[in-house]
Amino acid sequence: MSARPRTPTVTRVAAARTRELTSAAVRRVRAASRADGAGGSGLSGLVWVNALHTAGDAMIAVSLAGTLFFAAPADAQRGNVALYLLVTMAPFAVLAPVIGPALDRLQRGRRWALAASLAGRALLAVLMAVHFDDLALYPAALGVPVLSKGFSVLRAAVVPRVLPRALSLTSANARLSVFGLAAGAVLGALGAGLAAVLGFEWELGAAATLFATATVLAVRLPAHVDVSVGEAPADVFTTAEIPTVGRRRRPAGPHVATALRATAALRGLSGFLTIFSAFLVQATVADGWEATAALGGIAAAAGVGSFGGTAVGSRLQSVSPDTVVLVSAGGAAVVTVAAAALYSFPMAAVVAGVSAVANALGKISLDAIIQREVSDLLRASAFARSETALQLAWVVGGVLGIALPTIGWLGFTVAAALLVLAVGVTLAGRHRAAAAADRRAREEEEGWA
């Protein structure tokens, strides 16, 4: 005798519809990651590795915020967070100058280096889960940002190796950013809920699982990720176009150096806002819910700005990236000056949003300039070294946020002054490079004559 069909109920219909929508969403997201030849080139695999890397870092950040910031007594919060930031930033500040050269010598092993960064963070997340309520948390947390920033440097060198013919480097980096931001936002929020319900140990365990999964995906990236025949080390800091006698590195050109300076100034502003805003809210807002709302508003503005800047930047095909990066830095400087004169928490959120837009546009423009100006033989090294410089700029901005007193107008005044100075130096460098190019052109014309 056949079983009678189950009577449809509201719950069963809703569950079935949810499964359908979820399956459709998964198919669309997977198709989007594989579009334009990304599935065959290996870019799709890197997209998912990067998404899990970002999501895992977001979960780690949530757990540290809960254990070191909001969970601590008010008089201990600043000291705890400052100790954590100093302990985690200082090693990378020391290691950053050697990451680029090390990568130049690590041209055959990038998949394994990416996997090692992810596996190391999986292990550290487990150690943090075991020691989340004692001092052993700090040594475990020490390696997480260092390995994370090392991953970012390695990823920057890998992207040109998995670029499909149908995509520009700008579009590929925009796709990586969008998937990473989405994964970080969604899984970071889920991690916060998991921590609230089950505790930080479970959330850190989930982060370890994400990192472990990403480790497997990194090893499974295509073998041509490690192919580096003919690649050479690049110098992205000098405005010279001709190598100096005795230097092994080949200059990437004045356009790259100028764009890197402007983008580094924006990245430094981002690091400053991240750290200084947290301290400022902790010091000036007494009520816990108001503090959460203030920080949440600033974080939301930054998140929306990152999405918006990435979306707009990937479509600015007809605008010169040199112009975009300088306008972005100049716009961020103007808004920061306004925040110094008219300081308030809403104004701080505006600066965070504009800074995020400017950072996204600046990074996309820098990528486009490197793609345009740098030969294939130098491109992987140029991306690795520029990413190292940007990471170090964030560290410097964060250290400035620690060092300054928690006075809103004063912090934004110092940030505005330094940003205006950086933009001025960048414009002066661009002017000198243009003058040098004109002079060489005249000398060549006179030589032909």
Side-chain angles (χ1 to χ4, degrees):
M1 185 171 121
S2 61
R4 290 187 302 173
R6 295 199 295 182
T7 304
T9 64
V10 173
T11 302
R12 289 172 183 166
V13 171
R17 184 58 177 163
T18 300
R19 285 194 297 271
E20 289 179 16
L21 293 175
T22 301
S23 299
V26 169
R27 286 194 299 270
R28 289 178 181 176
V29 170
R30 188 171 183 272
S33 72
R34 298 177 61 84
D36 303 310
S41 71
L43 178 62
S44 176
L46 185 61
V47 164
W48 290 112
V49 171
N50 183 66
L52 293 175
H53 143 80
T54 306
D57 278 354
M59 284 192 170
I60 295 288
V62 168
S63 66
L64 292 174
T67 55
L68 296 177
F69 196 83
F70 294 111
D75 58 351
Q77 288 171 3
R78 182 179 177 87
N80 281 356
V81 177
L83 177 61
Y84 165 71
L85 291 171
L86 288 173
V87 165
T88 54
M89 286 180 179
F92 185 74
V94 174
L95 291 174
V98 303
I99 288 180
L103 182 59
D104 291 337
R105 295 189 292 270
L106 189 64
Q107 293 178 345
R108 285 190 176 275
R110 290 170 182 159
R111 287 181 298 169
W112 295 101
L114 287 169
S117 166
L118 294 160
R121 277 179 285 165
L123 177 60
L124 290 173
V126 172
L127 293 176
M128 291 169 65
V130 174
H131 299 286
F132 80 99
D133 57 352
D134 59 53
L135 290 177
L137 172 68
Y138 290 92
L142 168 65
V144 173
V146 175
L147 291 175
S148 177
K149 294 179 191 302
F151 176 95
S152 298
V153 174
L154 288 161
R155 181 196 59 211
V158 166
V159 173
R161 313 304 309 176
V162 296
L163 187 67
R165 294 181 180 274
L167 279 181
S168 68
L169 199 56
T170 301
S171 299
N173 279 294
R175 184 175 298 184
L176 284 166
S177 297
V178 168
F179 274 78
L181 288 169
V186 172
L187 292 178
L190 290 176
L194 183 64
V197 175
L198 298 177
F200 289 107
E201 304 98 314
W202 285 88
E203 188 208 13
L204 289 165
T209 302
L210 291 179
F211 286 132
T213 304
T215 300
V216 175
L217 295 180
V219 173
R220 295 180 63 185
L221 288 172
H224 60 258
V225 165
D226 292 329
V227 175
S228 57
V229 177
E231 287 186 1
D235 181 359
V236 296
F237 304 107
T238 179
T239 57
E241 294 184 346
I242 302 174
T244 304
V245 176
R247 287 183 63 87
R248 187 172 64 92
R249 296 190 176 279
R250 303 180 191 177
H255 293 278
V256 174
T258 300
L260 179 58
R261 291 171 185 173
T263 310
L266 290 170
R267 192 62 65 91
L269 176 63
S270 174
F272 169 79
L273 290 174
T274 300
I275 306 307
F276 184 76
S277 297
F279 283 155
L280 187 63
V281 170
Q282 182 267 332
T284 58
V285 181
D287 183 75
W289 286 109
E290 290 182 7
T292 303
L295 274 180
I298 294 173
V304 171
S306 294
F307 272 110
T310 300
V312 171
S314 63
R315 289 168 173 78
L316 290 178
Q317 304 294 340
S318 60
V319 182
S320 168
D322 303 81
T323 301
V324 172
V325 71
L326 290 174
V327 169
S328 299
V334 169
V335 174
T336 308
V337 170
L342 306 170
Y343 170 74
S344 65
F345 277 124
M347 196 64 193
V350 170
V351 175
V354 173
S355 171
V357 172
N359 263 285
L361 290 174
K363 182 61 169 67
I364 289 173
S365 300
L366 175 62
D367 291 344
I369 291 169
I370 292 177
Q371 182 188 27
R372 183 193 69 196
E373 298 289 329
V374 180
S375 68
D376 292 341
L377 300 182
L378 300 177
R379 194 172 292 160
S381 177
F383 271 105
R385 294 183 68 80
S386 65
E387 184 65 29
T388 300
L390 296 180
Q391 296 289 352
L392 184 56
W394 194 98
V395 170
V396 172
V399 171
L400 179 63
I402 295 173
L404 288 176
T406 49
I407 303 172
W409 67 267
L410 176 61
F412 280 93
T413 298
V414 173
L418 292 176
L419 188 56
V420 169
L421 177 62
V423 172
V425 170
T426 301
L427 290 173
R430 185 184 186 186
H431 176 72
R432 286 194 299 271
D438 291 340
R439 185 169 58 254
R440 283 192 301 272
R442 287 195 301 269
E443 290 173 354
E444 290 177 359
E445 289 177 359
E446 293 173 358
W448 281 105

